[in-house]
């Protein structure tokens, strides 16, 4: 099935907000990320399967809160006890997942078409998130993730890098437009560019 | 605003949670004969204590787990939180 970008007609490329007289390189950069495989993996409560035995694209499922395990193509986010979100550039990984996860122990759900993803990059990215999200961002480092809310919208935050910050934000596809406007409103003060 | 310590995720803002009611309520046992009064009590009657109260909360915008919270209804102080299978 062809992937249709949720924000294709929403994001307008260019410079916005208070950007005049500022070095363009230092402005916050916003872009939409699409064409990723997003899979929710949930282990049933009565399952006794040892997740240490699992290997997905060379990665194990993280067991610690807020932890992300990653390689150059895939990232596995801890979303709750026995609950993970796999995000990968490799679209064919889904077939491998369906084979390697036993139906009696795991529920594997393809969410690729039901999420909007915005990536923000720049030194002040955390300050933007602080404007709408009640989480204490001082605790978050590279390869951490958190489920929280941004102006009332449920989001997943994935810190890809922390020097400078590169943050991937996931929300429900139907929240995408509203979420993008919330984030861009928060960026106006600093100026931002959409690429 | 309250700050609630989710047993799975750590300290979070109240915005991420939903209140789930009194944690002391016990559903009548399965297949047991239940009188209308017992059922009525289980479904509708709740105590409203002034002071320590054991509550259910749902981390709806986080890990989506239910857990127990011991909270003071007068001061809103939270004494303890625990996983649903644990006793407080």
């Amino acid at each position: 099935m062809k992937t249709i970008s949720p924000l294709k007609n929403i994001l307008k490329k260019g410079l916005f907000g208070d950007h005049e007289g500022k070095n363009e390189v230092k402005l916050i950069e916003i872009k939409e990320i699409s064409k990723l495989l997003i899979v929710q993996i949930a282990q049933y409560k009565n399952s006794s399967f040892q997740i240490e035995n699992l290997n997905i694209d060379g990665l194990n499922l993280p067991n610690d809160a807020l932890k992300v395990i990653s390689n150059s193509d895939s990232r596995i986010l801890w979303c709750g006890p026995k609950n993970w979100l796999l995000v990968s550039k490799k679209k064919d990984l889904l077939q491998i997942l369906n084979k390697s996860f036993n139906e009696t122990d795991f529920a594997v759900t393809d969410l690729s078409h039901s999420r909007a993803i915005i990536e923000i990059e720049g030194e002040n990215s955390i300050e933007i998130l602080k404007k709408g999200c009640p989480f204490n961002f001082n605790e978050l480092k590279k390869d951490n993730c958190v489920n929280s809310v941004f102006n009332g919208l449920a989001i997943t935050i994935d810190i890809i890098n922390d020097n400078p910050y590169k943050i991937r934000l996931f929300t429900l596809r139907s929240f995408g437009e509203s979420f993008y406007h919330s984030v861009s409103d928060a960026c106006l003060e600093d100026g931002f560019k959409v690429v | 605003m309250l700050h609630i310590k989710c047993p799975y995720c750590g300290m979070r803002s109240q915005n991420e949670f939903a209140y789930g009611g009194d944690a002391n309520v016990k559903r009548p046992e399965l297949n047991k004969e239940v009188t209308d009064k017992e059922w009525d009590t289980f479904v509708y009657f709740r105590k409203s204590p002034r002071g320590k109260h054991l509550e259910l909360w749902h981390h709806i915008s986080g890990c989506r787990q239910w857990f127990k919270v011991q909270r003071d209804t007068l001061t809103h102080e939270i004494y303890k939180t625990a996983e649903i299978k644990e006793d407080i």
Side-chain angles (χ1 to χ4, degrees):
Chain A
M1 198 167 111
K2 192 183 168 193
T3 309
I4 301 167
S5 155
L7 300 172
K8 191 182 175 187
N9 300 316
I10 312 300
L11 267 77
K12 302 272 185 282
K13 290 180 182 176
L15 298 169
F16 302 94
D18 188 18
H19 64 86
E20 285 177 14
K22 291 180 179 171
N23 185 351
E24 202 180 307
V25 180
K26 291 198 171 180
L27 287 178
I28 290 167
E29 198 175 287
I30 300 180
K31 64 180 166 193
E32 187 201 358
I33 306 289
S34 56
K35 295 174 186 168
L36 289 180
L37 175 75
I38 306 169
V39 181
Q40 180 184 267
I41 303 165
Q43 187 180 7
Y44 297 128
K45 279 187 178 163
N46 54 4
S47 161
S48 56
F49 190 91
Q50 297 298 312
I51 58 163
E52 291 78 15
N53 301 332
L54 280 169
N55 189 306
I56 307 161
D57 197 21
L59 304 171
N60 291 322
L61 296 174
N63 221 352
D64 301 325
L66 315 184
K67 184 74 186 157
V68 180
I69 305 280
S70 67
N71 61 25
S72 56
D73 291 321
S74 309
R75 297 177 69 78
I76 304 177
L77 287 65
W78 181 93
C79 284
K82 297 186 173 187
N83 201 314
W84 302 270
L85 195 71
L86 168 75
V87 183
S88 180
K89 291 176 194 166
K90 292 183 179 172
K91 287 275 191 178
D92 57 345
L93 212 53
L94 184 61
Q95 284 147 2
I96 299 167
L97 286 176
N98 283 328
K99 281 180 189 166
S100 48
F101 284 99
N102 190 338
E103 270 186 18
T104 55
D105 290 306
F106 293 93
V108 177
T109 316
D110 183 7
L111 303 176
S112 308
H113 297 270
S114 65
R115 293 287 182 277
I117 310 173
I118 292 173
E119 199 169 274
I120 59 172
E121 202 172 343
E123 284 174 22
N124 276 346
S125 303
I126 286 290
E127 301 305 316
I128 302 305
L129 292 181
K130 282 178 186 173
K131 289 183 185 180
C133 178
F135 186 74
N136 177 10
F137 283 97
N138 298 331
E139 294 175 2
L140 276 195
K141 302 281 179 265
K142 184 186 173 185
D143 288 335
N144 277 171
C145 66
V146 61
N147 286 333
S148 190
V149 285
F150 190 90
N151 292 345
L153 304 171
I155 57 163
T156 301
I157 301 167
D158 179 11
I159 311 281
I160 295 173
N161 203 348
D162 60 4
N163 188 25
Y165 276 107
K166 187 177 182 181
I167 302 167
R168 211 175 261 175
L169 306 165
F170 301 79
T171 191
L172 283 177
R173 186 187 178 97
S174 52
F175 291 176
E177 182 174 355
S178 177
F179 178 58
Y180 168 68
H181 290 308
S182 278
V183 171
S184 57
D185 282 352
C187 292
L188 285 173
E189 186 185 2
D190 295 315
F192 66 100
K193 62 178 171 183
V194 179
V195 293
Chain B
M1 186 201 293
L2 292 176
H3 280 92
I4 301 170
K5 188 179 180 185
C6 168
Y8 305 97
C9 306
M11 198 64 90
R12 298 295 185 90
S13 160
Q14 184 195 345
N15 295 357
E16 294 184 11
F17 298 89
Y19 176 67
D22 190 341
N24 295 303
V25 178
K26 293 270 186 294
R27 188 186 172 91
E29 276 178 45
L30 201 63
N31 300 328
K32 186 194 155 197
E33 283 291 322
V34 184
T35 63
D36 285 351
K37 186 167 173 46
E38 281 175 320
W39 192 249
D40 190 47
T41 306
F42 163 67
V43 175
Y44 295 111
F45 284 87
R46 298 289 179 271
K47 287 176 184 167
S48 182
R50 188 170 186 264
K52 277 189 182 178
H53 188 221
L54 193 61
E55 301 167 338
L56 291 172
W57 284 76
H58 187 203
H59 196 184
I60 197 158
S61 298
C63 60
R64 294 177 193 149
Q65 301 294 307
W66 286 91
F67 61 97
K68 291 176 185 169
V69 175
Q70 192 180 50
R71 184 176 67 94
D72 194 311
T73 55
L74 194 66
T75 62
H76 293 304
E77 184 183 351
I78 290 173
Y79 299 104
K80 206 172 178 184
T81 60
E83 293 179 21
I84 208 85
K85 62 191 173 198
E86 293 175 338
D87 288 325
I88 289 189

